[in-house]
Amino acid sequence: MIVADDAALFRAGICRLLDDAGFQVTAAVGDAGELLDAVDREPPDVAVVDIRMPPTHTTEGLDAARALAARHPQVGVLVLSAHVEPHYAIQLVESGSPGTGYLLKERVTDPAELTDAVRRVGAGGVVIDPGVVAHLVRRRRAPNPLDALSDREREVLAVMAEGRSNQAIGERLFLAPKTVEAYVRNVFTKLDLHEAADANRRVLAVLAYLRA
């Protein structure tokens, strides 16, 4: 595990939370260059990265995530942001890394939520902060492929967009496993996602949701 954040106290706090949860933090760095160097030396399972780091404090973390997807695709990347920025979440998912996450920094106050996101990203999952999903749900939508979905199918897709498994979707929406499977199949069919592996179709469905 590598943690990259230019705020020393915040960086130390994340390292402590991860250490208490049983993760081994092998490096803690303050900028994107140090992050890339550390990953090149000893690739971790997951890198937890601030989206804004020196020198410009704009998108250094996001740029580093893209670089890691190209250089070390096996490394999961969980990007932390202080603000709800859906366009950055979309760019991150589109980077192509099999384990990708975008989490608001406020979630760090809930250690269980942070460690759950780290584990899911480390397992190759896609994690999108519920705050980003809620923002997108509230946004006015133009006609798009999602218009074909029923209200319940949209709810299933919204939870899927957080990177949740079918089991987690069922627990959140109080649905039986076979019912969730049926809704997920309907989502894939209505979004015309037929010719990909199930994991890839989930990512494509999330992208369709985020872009809408």
Side-chain angles (χ1 to χ4, degrees):
M1 179 80 59
I2 291 177
V3 175
D5 195 294
D6 66 305
L9 289 177
F10 186 81
R11 184 172 68 240
I14 292 178
C15 291
R16 177 62 183 271
L17 288 175
L18 293 173
D19 183 67
D20 289 346
F23 295 100
Q24 182 181 9
V25 179
T26 57
V29 299
D31 62 52
E34 291 179 340
L35 167 65
L36 295 175
D37 288 343
V39 174
D40 285 341
R41 287 194 304 271
E42 185 178 355
D45 293 328
V46 178
V48 179
V49 184
D50 185 13
I51 201 167
R52 302 181 188 277
M53 289 189 289
T56 67
H57 294 277
T58 54
T59 61
E60 282 82 3
L62 188 66
D63 296 338
R66 292 197 194 100
L68 289 177
R71 289 158 57 171
H72 300 280
Q74 78 281 10
V75 175
V77 179
L78 178 62
V79 171
L80 300 180
S81 176
H83 308 287
V84 175
E85 298 169 304
H87 53 296
Y88 288 151
I90 293 170
Q91 291 177 42
L92 185 63
V93 173
E94 290 179 328
S95 69
S97 176
T100 305
Y102 182 98
L103 202 65
L104 294 179
K105 281 190 171 183
E106 64 189 48
R107 304 293 173 189
V108 176
T109 60
D110 183 348
E113 190 156 4
L114 173 65
T115 55
D116 175 62
V118 169
R119 289 190 177 95
R120 287 191 284 139
V121 168
V126 175
V127 176
I128 302 296
D129 192 280
V132 175
V133 174
H135 175 84
L136 292 165
V137 168
R138 291 193 299 267
R139 192 175 66 187
R140 185 179 183 88
R141 297 179 183 274
N144 63 80
L146 300 190
D147 292 340
L149 302 183
S150 68
D151 290 342
R152 198 54 153 170
E153 289 162 354
R154 281 176 177 269
E155 290 177 344
V156 168
L157 181 53
V159 182
M160 189 192 302
E162 296 176 17
R164 304 292 177 178
S165 65
N166 282 5
Q167 179 180 345
I169 291 171
E171 292 171 354
R172 173 80 67 83
L173 300 179
F174 305 103
L175 297 173
K178 289 188 179 299
T179 303
V180 174
E181 291 174 8
Y183 279 127
V184 170
R185 282 197 302 271
N186 288 345
V187 168
F188 291 158
T189 298
K190 291 182 178 181
L191 295 181
D192 198 27
L193 302 174
H194 301 289
E195 302 299 329
D198 187 65
N200 291 337
R201 288 194 295 176
R202 294 179 82 90
V203 173
L204 292 171
V206 168
L207 284 174
Y209 183 83
L210 293 175
R211 287 181 179 134

